[in-house]
């Protein structure tokens, strides 16, 4: 696939890295020559320096025969105009734009081929807000992913000493929970991925990813680790777009406080939020945190745009007694360094956003794509189409499907029903199939599995 990416920042660079490793023809456009050179030295891609909304620059990048334009510059306006130019002058089939400002996003009629021709809108702030909200709903989870509009969920947890299943084989899950059907999809042990088998033994400190119907998630989590009490008191450091949206989403269920430095922003937040308490000051101010009883906080979320400030305020909050701390980290190099020590969960906006973008790049009918464990593996929701003659999966039992190496099927969602995958489960047309890939070089093979042969038409 020939793809033009506008913007060589964190999101554009991460996306280029994912797609270049999958044999796509990638061109990255940016005004910053140094950034392009650094990216070009690392990856097998073309780079073009210039403003992505200019017709001459898009033509130079190969827009005449591009399959897709992904506009993820820091400017909403440049992204939207680039999609307009690609549609009007080059008839680019698929146009994806990152739009951050809520003022644009609330006007749905704007994004239409008759107005601004954007096929897919990506709002990183909203993606990250939803991601954090799910983590708050499941205390103890490292990652929570929805499939089929939340009917099934994939949850990552750290197995703790004393958990009922630690030291046990996976096949014993059924004996522990005879009424709950679940499947362990992936295990990461000391940074190494393990393909789960029935005789695999769960060790303490393993990161275990399992899939189950939404109603069964808490029961399965309790098998892996001590059950944690629900969160009640939430402190958010940073009242920017993400902090504001998160407070708005959770303030009806939790006691929420926001610490924000900018007085004008504090006034805006206090006027627009219902029950959230807004405090003006620095989240790294020890006296302020002590005064606001940080020791009683169930969760402290550092959500400013400054990685270093987020890390330092999180460490301070933890030291002063906050039960859990989550930290927003823009630099991917920091994420692995800090997670799991004093900081419980490091959240990478790039990796949260990248799944939304990859969903629309995959061939076949791919409903959603999610990075597991900071890009080490992928979870894919694909829809099966066709019949036994035209499809490689429809009408076949899972044991008879030739899956690529390192790939497993975890669950099937059929209408409202969640079916945990077993060898004898037969896939039907219209099923949402949840797959896990330990090795992303087999992405194309998975896509081909779900492409319908011409005989179906």
């Amino acid at each position: 696939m020939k793809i033009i990416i506008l913007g060589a920042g964190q999101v554009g660079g991460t996306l280029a890295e994912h797609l270049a490793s999958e044999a796509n023809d990638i061109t990255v456009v940016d005004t910053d020559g140094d950034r392009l050179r650094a990216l070009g030295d690392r990856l097998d891609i073309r780079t073009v320096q210039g403003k992505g909304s200019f017709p001459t620059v898009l033509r130079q990048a190969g827009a005449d025969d591009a399959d897709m334009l992904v506009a993820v510059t820091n400017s909403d306006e440049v992204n939207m105009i680039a999609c307009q130019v690609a549609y009007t002058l080059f008839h680019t089939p698929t146009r994806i734009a990152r739009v951050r400002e809520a003022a644009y996003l609330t006007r749905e009629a704007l994004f239409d081929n008759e107005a601004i021709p954007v096929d897919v809108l990506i709002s990183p702030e909203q993606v990250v807000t939803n991601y954090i909200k799910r983590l708050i709903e499941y205390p103890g989870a490292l990652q929570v992913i929805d499939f089929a509009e939340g009917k099934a969920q994939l949850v990552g947890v750290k197995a703790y000493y004393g958990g009922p299943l630690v030291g046990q084989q996976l096949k014993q899950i059924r004996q522990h929970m005879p009424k709950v059907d679940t499947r362990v999809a992936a295990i990461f042990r000391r940074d190494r991925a393990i393909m789960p088998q029935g005789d695999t033994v769960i060790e303490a400190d393993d990161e275990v990813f399992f899939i189950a119907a939404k109603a069964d998630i808490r029961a399965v989590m309790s098998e892996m680790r001590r059950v944690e009490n629900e969160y009640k008191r939430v402190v958010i450091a940073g009242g920017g777009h993400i902090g504001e949206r998160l407070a708005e989403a959770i303030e009806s269920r939790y006691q929420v406080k926001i610490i924000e430095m900018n007085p004008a922003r504090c006034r805006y937040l206090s006027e627009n939020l219902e029950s959230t308490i807004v405090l003006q000051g620095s989240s790294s101010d020890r006296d302020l945190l002590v005064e606001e009883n940080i020791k009683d906080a169930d969760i402290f979320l550092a959500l400013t745009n400054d990685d270093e400030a987020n890390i330092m305020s999180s460490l301070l909050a933890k030291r002063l007694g906050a039960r859990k701390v989550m930290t927003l980290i823009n630099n991917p190099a920091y994420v692995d360094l800090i997670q799991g020590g004093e900081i419980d969960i490091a959240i990478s906006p790039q990796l949260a956003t990248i799944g939304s973008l990859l969903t629309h790049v995959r061939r076949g009918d791919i409903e959603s794509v999610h990075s597991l464990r900071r890009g080490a593996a992928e979870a894919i929701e694909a829809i099966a189409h066709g019949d036994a003659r035209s499809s490689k999966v429809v009408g076949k039992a899972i044991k008879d499907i030739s899956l690529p190496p390192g790939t497993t099927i975890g669950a099937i969602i059929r209408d409202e029903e969640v079916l945990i995958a077993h060898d004898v489960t037969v896939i039907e047309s219209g099923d949402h199939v949840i797959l896990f890939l330990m090795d992303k070089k087999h992405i194309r093979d998975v896509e081909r599995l779900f492409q319908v042969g011409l005989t179906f038409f």
Side-chain angles (χ1 to χ4, degrees):
M1 195 183 283
K2 188 169 183 180
I3 302 167
I4 299 173
I5 299 171
L6 307 183
Q10 294 283 10
V11 172
T14 309
L15 182 64
E17 198 169 332
H18 271 76
L19 297 177
S21 65
E22 296 167 17
N24 291 292
D25 181 355
I26 307 294
T27 303
V28 178
V29 179
D30 201 287
T31 52
D32 187 330
D34 292 338
R35 200 179 265 173
L36 288 174
R37 272 189 292 279
L39 209 53
D41 289 344
R42 271 194 310 120
L43 307 172
D44 181 19
I45 58 171
R46 279 184 69 224
T47 60
V48 173
Q49 188 173 355
K51 196 162 186 177
S53 55
F54 289 179
T56 49
V57 173
L58 284 175
R59 176 163 273 126
Q60 193 184 342
D64 284 312
D65 59 349
D67 298 300
M68 182 180 289
L69 176 83
V70 183
V72 287
T73 74
N74 287 328
S75 165
D76 289 352
E77 291 74 18
V78 167
N79 294 341
M80 293 189 288
I81 293 296
C83 288
Q84 181 77 67
V85 172
Y87 175 76
T88 308
L89 296 185
F90 303 108
H91 313 294
T92 307
T94 305
R95 300 159 306 279
I96 298 173
R98 174 166 79 169
V99 178
R100 309 171 89 152
E101 278 299 332
Y104 291 129
L105 295 169
T106 52
R107 301 278 184 265
E108 284 183 23
L110 259 185
F111 302 101
D112 183 88
N113 284 354
E114 304 304 312
I116 301 171
V118 177
D119 296 309
V120 181
L121 279 170
I122 301 287
S123 168
E125 283 81 4
Q126 195 55 52
V127 171
V128 173
T129 300
N130 294 341
Y131 184 94
I132 296 170
K133 183 169 169 276
R134 287 195 296 269
L135 287 172
I136 293 172
E137 287 168 357
Y138 292 106
L142 296 172
Q143 195 168 359
V144 182
I145 294 168
D146 281 346
F147 293 109
E149 298 169 343
K151 294 185 188 80
Q153 289 183 316
L154 176 74
V155 177
V157 294
K158 193 170 212 176
Y160 272 55
Y161 287 104
L165 272 176
V166 173
Q168 308 279 330
Q169 293 184 340
L170 288 180
K171 61 188 174 192
Q172 291 173 290
I173 290 181
R174 181 150 294 208
Q175 294 162 21
H176 279 254
M177 298 183 294
K179 294 182 181 172
V180 174
D181 208 1
T182 185
R183 184 182 176 102
V184 172
I187 296 174
F188 292 93
R189 181 173 297 160
R190 294 181 285 281
D191 293 330
R192 192 169 58 86
I194 294 171
M195 277 287 286
Q197 308 289 342
D199 58 357
T200 303
V201 175
I202 296 174
E203 294 181 6
D205 290 336
D206 281 356
E207 286 185 28
V208 181
F209 286 83
F210 65 86
I211 189 163
K214 188 173 183 176
D216 296 330
I217 292 294
R218 289 182 200 282
V220 183
M221 282 181 73
S222 67
E223 290 294 306
M224 305 290 174
R225 52 177 298 125
R226 294 182 295 277
V227 179
E228 293 194 21
N229 294 329
E230 296 286 304
Y231 298 136
K232 289 182 188 153
R233 291 170 291 276
V234 179
V235 177
I236 298 171
H241 291 310
I242 295 174
E244 179 194 359
R245 287 183 190 196
L246 181 64
E248 199 172 30
I250 67 172
E251 64 181 352
S252 61
R253 289 183 55 196
Y254 303 90
Q255 298 168 29
V256 183
K257 291 180 182 178
I258 287 184
I259 302 172
E260 168 58 43
M261 196 72 182
N262 185 319
R265 184 69 182 168
C266 285
R267 279 193 296 278
Y268 168 84
L269 291 169
S270 59
E271 287 165 10
N272 287 276
L273 294 169
E274 296 283 332
S275 57
T276 298
I277 295 168
V278 181
L279 305 165
Q280 197 261 314
S282 166
S283 54
S284 300
D285 181 338
R286 187 180 190 281
D287 294 338
L288 175 64
L289 293 180
V290 170
E291 194 178 309
E292 291 303 324
N293 297 314
I294 194 69
K295 68 181 187 324
D296 297 328
D298 293 310
I299 185 160
F300 177 89
L301 297 147
L303 305 179
T304 75
N305 287 325
D306 185 325
D307 285 358
E308 286 76 12
N310 286 345
I311 292 168
M312 295 314 292
S313 63
S314 296
L315 292 174
L316 181 61
K318 189 76 170 194
R319 195 65 55 88
L320 292 173
R323 182 174 136 204
K324 274 280 169 74
V325 295
M326 291 188 205
T327 310
L328 195 69
I329 300 292
N330 284 291
N331 185 342
Y334 287 178
V335 176
D336 280 328
L337 284 176
I338 65 165
Q339 175 160 302
E342 295 275 297
I343 290 169
D344 297 291
I345 298 179
I347 298 156
S348 165
Q350 288 78 33
L351 287 175
T353 307
I354 221 75
S356 307
L357 290 165
L358 291 174
T359 300
H360 303 286
V361 177
R362 300 282 182 242
R363 299 179 179 91
D365 194 349
I366 305 295
E367 187 74 5
S368 63
V369 177
H370 303 275
S371 277
L372 296 188
R373 208 178 179 279
R374 304 176 288 289
E378 256 181 31
I380 293 178
E381 178 182 344
I383 303 176
H385 293 294
D387 53 30
R389 285 181 306 135
S390 61
S391 167
K392 297 184 182 76
V393 295
V394 173
K396 288 190 175 179
I398 287 172
K399 62 180 169 56
D400 298 326
I401 297 170
S402 50
L403 291 167
T407 305
T408 57
I409 292 177
I412 292 163
I413 297 137
R414 184 172 296 158
D415 299 323
E416 297 300 309
E417 192 181 3
V418 177
L419 307 169
I420 299 304
H422 299 291
D423 283 351
V424 294
T425 309
V426 175
I427 295 175
E428 296 178 6
S429 185
D431 284 353
H432 288 239
V433 182
I434 315 302
L435 302 105
F436 303 97
L437 281 84
M438 294 296 186
D439 190 342
K440 290 188 291 188
K441 73 169 183 267
H442 295 297
I443 288 282
R444 286 283 169 266
D445 301 325
V446 171
E447 289 172 356
R448 280 193 283 271
L449 268 182
F450 286 87
Q451 287 174 328
V452 180
L454 290 173
T455 54
F456 186 60
F457 305 100

